[in-house]
Amino acid sequence: MGREAGQPTGFQWVAERSLNCKQPAFLNLAHDAAGAAFGFARTSATSTDIRGTSDIYAGALYASWTPGAAVVDLRVAAGPSQISTTRQIVLTSSALQGTTNGIGVGTSLEAGYRIPLATNAVLKPFAGISWQGFRRDGYSENQLPFGLIYAAQTYDKLTTTAGVALSAQLRTLDGNVIMPELKLGWGHDLRDTTLISQAALLDQTFTVGAAQPGRDAGLIGAKISGWRTENFRLFAAYNGEFRSNAESHQVSGGARVSW
């Protein structure tokens, strides 16, 4: 998904999408659980002559409540980001570059209902809402006066989701458990201010707008987890988002430790 220079490359649910994740549960009563997660993610966005990359470090708190067959998940995440941008223009012999820092905060609430289909197979319709906020520090590109200057700015995004998830638990002959999961959904942006940035060139301010990706998105997720004991799991996952004018793909993997 392409964005213009100066746009944040996104504060996302790093706790779910980290390359390495330690996730100790501090409450586990019956089927209810709560805990914390820590993670790192690198994301990038490209469009014609522009590239942006961000390194995101985040911590998250989560809680799940399971009254009967229903399940309610609440997550809150926050963390700093380091952002770099590269932009090609015809007036300079080399690319314009800039770096800055920022901090993001996000929260999500999701509710679903588990329907048993067969032994160890579950279908779960779900609906949810999430909010993400991001504060980016001001910065300037190199090679002034050709480089742009960006003032500090705050962005936020509010999104609703609905869909269905299918999962199953398969036990191998040596006692390991493999759990494949597939999730299909639809997302709709109720609010998105991340597409507009304020910039200045030669002391003249103006607005930089990114291409409109579309407010609706088709969502697909695939995940496989494996464990021999409940307190240590490995996982690998893919998440895709498909909009009318943009799409994104993400692959992640990690480990979960609980006690």
Side-chain angles (χ1 to χ4, degrees):
M1 178 170 141
R3 294 184 185 274
E4 297 292 340
Q7 293 294 322
T9 53
F11 178 80
Q12 300 174 321
W13 285 106
V14 182
E16 292 182 348
R17 303 177 175 186
S18 58
L19 299 179
N20 297 285
C21 182
K22 181 178 180 182
Q23 192 167 345
F26 56 76
L27 173 65
N28 193 350
L29 303 176
H31 297 291
D32 300 332
F38 309 93
F40 165 80
R42 168 164 288 187
T43 63
S44 63
T46 59
S47 61
T48 305
D49 299 327
I50 299 172
R51 178 179 176 84
T53 301
S54 64
D55 292 330
I56 306 171
Y57 307 84
L61 298 176
Y62 68 91
S64 294
W65 178 45
T66 53
V71 56
V72 179
D73 293 320
L74 174 66
R75 295 169 186 162
V76 179
S81 299
Q82 297 176 339
I83 303 168
S84 62
T85 62
T86 301
R87 187 166 60 94
Q88 298 281 354
I89 63 173
V90 297
L91 297 178
T92 60
S93 58
S94 59
L96 302 176
Q97 297 179 334
T99 59
T100 187
N101 297 313
I103 187 167
V105 178
T107 183
S108 73
L109 178 66
E110 183 179 286
Y113 191 85
R114 294 167 296 178
I115 304 172
L117 295 181
T119 303
N120 296 327
V122 175
L123 182 71
K124 186 183 77 171
F126 66 88
I129 187 169
S130 64
W131 175 84
Q132 300 173 35
F134 185 79
R135 172 69 176 181
R136 189 210 63 214
D137 296 339
Y139 75 103
S140 61
E141 296 175 324
N142 62 351
Q143 302 191 53
L144 295 175
F146 299 107
L148 297 178
I149 299 174
Y150 294 91
Q153 193 166 345
T154 300
Y155 308 87
D156 74 296
K157 185 175 183 179
L158 181 65
T159 304
T160 57
T161 56
V164 62
L166 176 65
S167 64
Q169 290 192 16
L170 310 174
R171 187 172 295 274
T172 65
L173 294 177
D174 57 359
N176 294 319
V177 178
I178 305 297
M179 188 172 73
E181 300 175 72
L182 177 65
K183 180 180 285 189
L184 299 174
W186 168 80
H188 177 72
D189 295 336
L190 299 176
R191 174 181 171 83
D192 187 0
T193 67
T194 65
L195 303 176
I196 301 296
S197 289
Q198 302 299 321
L201 178 65
L202 300 175
D203 296 326
Q204 298 297 315
T205 60
F206 58 93
T207 298
V208 178
Q212 294 290 334
R215 297 181 63 183
D216 296 297
L219 308 174
I220 182 171
K223 180 179 179 181
I224 186 167
S225 305
W227 66 90
R228 192 175 185 88
T229 61
E230 287 287 343
N231 62 345
F232 180 76
R233 299 188 181 194
L234 298 175
F235 69 89
Y238 163 80
N239 288 282
E241 182 177 297
F242 302 88
R243 297 175 180 265
S244 60
N245 194 35
E247 62 182 56
S248 65
H249 307 272
Q250 183 186 55
V251 177
S252 63
R256 173 178 174 175
V257 180
S258 61
W259 59 85

